[in-house]
Amino acid sequence: MSFMTDEIARQPGAWRAAAAAGASVVALPRPGERVAVVGCGTSWFIAEAYARLREQRGLGETDAFAASEFPLQRGYDRLVVISRSGTTTEILDLLARQRGRCPTVALTTSPATPIGTAADHIIDLSFADERSVVQTVSATSALTLLRASLGEAIDGLADAAEKVLAEPLPEEWIEAEQITFLGRGWVHGIAREAALKMRETTQAWTEAYPSMEYRHGPIAIAAPGRVVWHFGPDDDRLREDVRPTGALFVNHPDDPQVDLIRVHRLAAAVAQLKGLDPDRPRSLTRSVVLGS
Ligand code: F1P
C-alpha cells in the first residue's frame, strides 16, 4: 500500500479535527477585511476555493494568487498563505516582503520549518501531515478548516467522505484516455486540483476550466473514451452538450470536496495500473526549494 492510499483514507478523521479547529481560529481574516490568499500547486488551488467562498459569503474582497504572481504593489489587510511543507521558496520570499506591511497567517502541517518564524501567525495542521509527495489529506483538511472558519455547513462532509471511500471505482474512469474537470465559483479550485492530482500522480492528460468556459473551445477535446467530470450541480446543462460528443459525463450530487476523494482514489488506482509510484511522482519533490 502506498502512503498516498493511506492518506486518502485518513481524510474523514482529519476533516473532523480540522472542522473543530476552524471554528476557533483567531488569526484568520475578519469580516470586511481585504484579503489575499496565496499558495503554490495544490495549495494555490485551495487558496482559490477559499477566496471565492469568502467573497461569496459577503465577508470581504478576497483574491487568490500563485505566490510567484503576487502583485506586490497592492495593499491588503491580511495575507493568508497555505504551504504544507513550510519551505516553498516563493512563499517564504513573499512572507519576508510582507513583514511589517500587513499581518500574515500561514496554514501548514510543518510548523517547525522556516514558515514558523516567517509568518506572524501559524495555524498548525500537523495532524494532517503526509509522507507522499502528492497532497491529499493535508490540502482537504486545510480547506475544511478554512470553510469552518467561514461558518460553512460542513458537518456532514466527513460522513459523506466515508461513503465515497467505500465505493467501487468504475472501469470507464480508470480506462479514460483524457479527463476534463469543470466547476463554477469556488468549485473551479477543486476542478484545478483534481486535474493536477491526476497529472502529478499518473502523468495523465487532464484539463480544468470554469464550467461556462467549457463550451468556448475545450469541448472540442470531448470524444468517446474521454471523460468530462463536473464538480457540483450542472445548472448549465452541460451534460446535454457533452452527450453528442460521446464522452462520458460524470456528475455527483455530493459536496465537491467530497467528490474530489473519488479523483484521489482514481489517481492512486491508475498509478498502480501504470506501474507508477504515487508517492514519488516523476520530476516532483515534496517542496520546491529554489537556489539563490
Ligand atoms: C506545494 C507544491 C505541491 C506539489 C509539489 C511541490 O507545496 O507545489 O502542491 O504537489 O509537491 O510543492 P507546499 O508549499 O504546499 O508545501
Side-chain angles (χ1 to χ4, degrees):
M1 196 165 97
S2 61
F3 292 131
M4 186 194 187
T5 315
D6 171 57
E7 287 153 7
I8 292 168
R10 270 174 40 211
Q11 288 179 101
W15 291 6
R16 289 187 183 104
S24 59
V25 166
V26 288
L28 281 169
R30 300 176 188 141
E33 283 182 346
R34 201 164 161 269
V35 171
V37 196
V38 160
C40 297
T42 291
S43 300
W44 175 29
F45 303 141
I46 299 303
E48 181 190 351
Y50 167 62
R52 293 300 303 271
L53 275 172
R54 181 172 184 269
E55 209 166 273
Q56 255 172 41
R57 292 183 74 82
L59 294 171
E61 221 170 273
T62 316
D63 296 323
F65 302 102
S68 54
E69 296 294 327
F70 185 82
L72 292 166
Q73 65 281 7
R74 289 200 199 165
Y76 286 97
D77 298 325
R78 197 174 298 264
L79 173 68
V80 179
V81 306
I82 305 170
S83 176
R84 173 183 67 175
S85 65
T87 55
T88 297
T89 301
E90 296 97 311
I91 293 283
L92 296 177
D93 282 354
L94 181 61
L95 286 170
R97 296 182 86 130
Q98 293 302 305
R99 176 133 279 169
R101 285 188 69 191
C102 83
T104 60
V105 54
L107 285 85
T108 184
T109 65
S110 317
T113 62
I115 208 168
T117 48
D120 298 332
H121 298 278
I122 289 291
I123 297 177
D124 184 355
L125 291 168
S126 43
F127 62 86
D129 202 10
E130 290 159 331
R131 296 181 69 182
S132 177
V133 165
V134 296
Q135 300 193 20
T136 55
V137 63
S138 67
T140 56
S141 298
L143 182 58
T144 306
L145 185 146
L146 291 166
R147 291 179 72 178
S149 78
L150 296 176
E152 288 245 313
I154 53 163
D155 287 350
L157 290 191
D159 289 354
E162 270 160 5
K163 288 200 185 91
V164 163
L165 284 166
E167 284 175 0
L169 277 177
E171 274 304 306
E172 48 201 343
W173 302 356
I174 295 174
E175 287 162 7
E177 179 199 24
Q178 190 276 338
I179 309 182
T180 296
F181 295 98
L182 306 175
R184 283 199 93 163
W186 74 276
V187 182
H188 181 236
I190 300 287
R192 292 168 83 203
E193 167 55 8
L196 179 71
K197 204 83 308 159
M198 290 299 292
R199 282 196 294 272
E200 286 183 324
T201 317
T202 74
Q203 298 166 21
W205 173 22
T206 57
E207 307 201 3
Y209 299 95
S211 308
M212 289 292 277
E213 272 301 299
Y214 184 63
R215 293 183 177 96
H216 295 275
I219 193 167
I221 297 301
R226 297 180 179 176
V227 168
V228 180
W229 188 306
H230 196 281
F231 286 100
D234 174 29
D235 295 336
D236 311 310
R237 296 199 295 235
L238 278 163
R239 182 190 293 273
E240 285 160 33
D241 287 348
V242 168
R243 190 175 292 123
T245 70
L248 177 72
F249 191 84
V250 176
N251 185 226
H252 296 101
D254 309 279
D255 182 280
Q257 183 183 320
V258 173
D259 198 18
L260 180 64
I261 291 186
R262 294 189 177 95
V263 181
H264 291 160
R265 294 184 59 221
L266 178 62
V270 173
Q272 195 183 14
L273 208 70
K274 288 186 168 178
L276 300 171
D277 180 352
D279 295 329
R280 282 194 301 269
R282 182 172 68 183
S283 314
L284 298 187
T285 48
R286 179 174 161 86
S287 109
V288 176
V289 178
L290 303 172
S292 51

